Amino acid sequence: MATLIADDPAWQAAYESLSGGMAAVSAELGRFEPEPMPADVIARLDAALASSIAAPTPISAEPAAPRRPT
């Protein structure tokens, strides 16, 4: 995304129009007290992360060749 923002004027304009709002939202959210996560959600997350499906697949350190549009 950083490349799109740096290279595309439309993306840059969108980013600039949103960045001030993001700071305001962060400030407002910072005024709330932390909300504890419900126990059932914790249990479901623990189960999901413990499953074999969640086992990480190694990613090659070699950069991928750029794809060309078809």
Side-chain angles (χ1 to χ4, degrees):
M1 289 188 83
T3 302
L4 284 170
I5 293 168
D7 296 344
D8 187 322
W11 275 79
Q12 188 173 33
Y15 174 79
E16 289 170 0
S17 71
L18 293 173
S19 49
M22 290 301 293
V25 168
S26 292
E28 288 298 313
L29 289 175
R31 295 175 6 161
F32 286 100
E33 291 294 322
E35 187 70 30
M37 188 177 298
D40 66 312
V41 174
I42 293 171
R44 291 183 1 223
L45 286 171
D46 285 344
L49 294 173
S51 78
S52 61
I53 294 174
T57 303
I59 298 174
S60 171
E62 296 296 316
R67 293 200 282 172
R68 297 178 187 232
T70 56

